Amino acid sequence: QQPVQSPQAVILREGEDAVINCSSSKALYSVHWYRQKHGEAPVFLMILLKGGEQKGHEKISASFNEKKQQSSLYLTASQLSYSGTYFCGSRGDDYKLSFGAGTTVTVRA
Amino acid sequence: EPEVTQTPSHQVTQMGQEVILRCVPISNHLYFYWYRQILGQKVEFLVSFYNNEISEKSEIFDDQFSVERPDGSNFTLKIRSTKLEDSAMYFCASSEEGGRDYEQYFGPGTRLTVT
């Protein structure tokens, strides 16, 4: 079952902050965050694991509340390059990565 | 930096025709995936593949779809008899391991247009 993301879209000015939420109705082992720019492939941002471990490559932070089966992605001091559609992917006890509908982030100068 | 490659970048086909989409995963990766994204919608999982077998598939991946690793480098998705609703961007992805804490690296996609 796919996770639910909110909000659907957010518009920011450079330097502003935003939070994107992802929740699931099923027990999660890990939450994966990807960013997709228009016409391009999704790019891996971060994995959050049960137990608190995080694996990521960029200066974007996230949290994972296992009990609530929720994850939040924090865009802090946003830059123009942060624009894109952010997808959360949830993995339970299988190989399948189920993506949410996405949150479109537009950062304006 | 190693990357997943896909060919062709765009494929146009007529309804009822067979298409084969090709992918070359990252060389030391063991797990391979196909995803589909209909224009403007979310990315949808189709199938995962490991050790020459399908390990998981979604309800979208019905009998008209098949996957194969014909040699040591290519990973293919075949659609036997294409329908209009198969028009989408198809992404191949690979991961080093299949565990739930391994990131998947996506290729640039093949845009399939069925007319």
Side-chain angles (χ1 to χ4, degrees), chain B residues 5-16:
Chain B
T5 59
Q6 290 184 243
T7 53
S9 56
H10 191 189
Q11 173 92 48
V12 181
T13 190
Q14 288 191 325
M15 201 166 50

Side-chain angles (χ1 to χ4, degrees), chain A residues 43, chain B residues 1-5 24-29 94-96 103-108:
Chain A
V43 173
Chain B
E1 191 173 322
E3 56 185 19
V4 177
T5 59
V24 178
I26 294 173
S27 61
N28 65 331
H29 285 189
S94 69
S95 64
E96 198 174 338
E103 60 266 38
Q104 296 180 18
Y105 292 88
F106 282 71

Side-chain angles (χ1 to χ4, degrees), chain A residues 77-108:
Chain A
S78 56
Q79 305 168 18
L80 294 175
S81 61
Y82 287 8
S83 292
T85 300
Y86 289 77
F87 292 98
C88 72
S90 62
R91 293 188 92 171
D93 193 22
D94 54 33
Y95 296 101
K96 185 167 63 173
L97 188 60
S98 298
F99 285 98
T103 296
T104 301
V105 173
T106 305
V107 181
R108 293 184 175 157

Side-chain angles (χ1 to χ4, degrees), chain A:
Chain A
Q1 195 165 357
Q2 69 189 62
V4 176
Q5 283 186 240
S6 63
Q8 284 186 317
V10 61
I11 298 174
L12 301 165
R13 291 210 177 273
E14 257 186 308
E16 290 182 341
D17 303 337
V19 180
I20 302 170
N21 298 304
C22 174
S23 63
S24 174
S25 59
K26 69 174 186 180
L28 298 176
Y29 181 89
S30 62
V31 176
H32 300 223
W33 286 96
Y34 287 78
R35 178 173 61 209
Q36 185 179 32
K37 296 199 180 262
H38 184 69
E40 298 180 10
V43 173
F44 168 77
L45 293 177
M46 179 170 293
I47 292 177
L48 298 111
L49 305 174
K50 219 172 157 177
E53 187 182 348
Q54 293 187 21
K55 294 167 65 173
H57 302 294
E58 294 199 20
K59 294 178 184 176
I60 292 176
S61 62
S63 63
F64 180 22
N65 185 323
E66 297 162 31
K67 285 185 183 174
K68 291 186 178 178
Q69 292 160 192
Q70 290 177 347
S71 177
S72 295
L73 187 74
Y74 305 98
L75 305 180
T76 305
S78 56
Q79 305 168 18
L80 294 175
S81 61
Y82 287 8
S83 292
T85 300
Y86 289 77
F87 292 98
C88 72
S90 62
R91 293 188 92 171
D93 193 22
D94 54 33
Y95 296 101
K96 185 167 63 173
L97 188 60
S98 298
F99 285 98
T103 296
T104 301
V105 173
T106 305
V107 181
R108 293 184 175 157

